[in-house]
Amino acid sequence: DLAAQYYRDALERSPADSTELLEAYYGLLATFDGRSEVSQEQIDLCLQALEQYPLDAQLLCAMAGYLQQQGRLDLASRAYALAWHNGQTDPQTWHVRDINVAAASCLALVQQLLGQDDAARQTLEEVLAVAPHVSAARRQLIDLHIKHGRTSEALAELAD
């Protein structure tokens, strides 16, 4: 509770569009994690942050995760896609390494949950085209090939 208050104070005192303001949003959003009774408040706060930083990849992924937890997979998919294709990071603040690639992997998972396996395959292939070192995306693609009986494609991915 004390940390949340400090982050709220930082939100009020930080200059608009500053790194400090972005970090205050990150921190306050994190204080809500694991507390389902405040999930709507967390979403509202993330929306407020996205008004200031509409292409922040980390905020977009956070929003997608919150929406996914609420079962709003279509909206989660859109947020992950935006983070993957257009997401940006502030170089002066901490952020998840390769957040755009992580967004793409999450997008592929949500696409599969929505029954959009062809779109998931395309997303994973795009990821591996720009980041062939991402073993999690390769495993997802192999699993998807196996699911659809594409043995030769699965074996080809294993060879890469």
Side-chain angles (χ1 to χ4, degrees):
D1 289 337
L2 186 58
Q5 187 54 51
Y6 286 137
Y7 287 123
R8 281 186 172 80
D9 291 345
L11 285 177
E12 292 176 14
R13 297 170 193 235
S14 297
D17 298 324
S18 67
T19 296
E20 293 81 13
L21 183 62
L22 180 60
E23 289 176 343
Y25 277 120
Y26 288 166
L28 187 54
L29 286 166
T31 66
F32 292 114
D33 288 348
R35 298 173 49 204
S36 60
E37 72 277 5
V38 292
S39 64
Q40 188 56 51
E41 188 177 345
Q42 190 176 37
I43 287 174
D44 293 343
L45 180 66
C46 197
L47 282 171
Q48 180 183 336
L50 283 166
E51 287 175 9
Q52 294 277 328
Y53 307 95
L55 294 178
D56 184 82
Q58 200 152 274
L59 288 173
L60 287 165
C61 285
M63 177 60 80
Y66 305 150
L67 292 167
Q68 188 175 346
Q69 286 175 344
Q70 289 191 341
R72 300 169 72 183
L73 299 179
D74 57 331
L75 295 175
S77 174
R78 292 164 78 186
Y80 283 133
L82 188 56
W84 163 230
H85 295 292
N86 304 99
Q88 301 170 357
T89 56
D90 180 335
Q92 296 179 354
T93 190
W94 176 90
H95 54 273
V96 173
R97 185 173 166 241
D98 294 329
I99 186 73
N100 300 72
V101 172
S105 291
C106 292
L107 171 60
L109 175 64
V110 170
Q111 288 169 326
Q112 288 179 65
L113 292 171
L114 288 167
Q116 301 169 351
D117 287 358
D118 290 338
R121 178 183 180 176
Q122 181 178 350
T123 298
L124 293 167
E125 288 173 348
E126 288 174 14
V127 169
L128 292 169
V130 297
H133 64 281
V134 180
S135 59
R138 188 165 311 281
R139 280 192 304 271
Q140 277 182 277
L141 184 57
I142 291 168
D143 289 343
L144 195 56
H145 285 318
I146 291 169
K147 176 181 175 183
H148 289 282
R150 296 187 296 255
T151 308
S152 59
E153 288 93 336
L155 290 172
E157 287 300 328
L158 283 171
D160 283 345

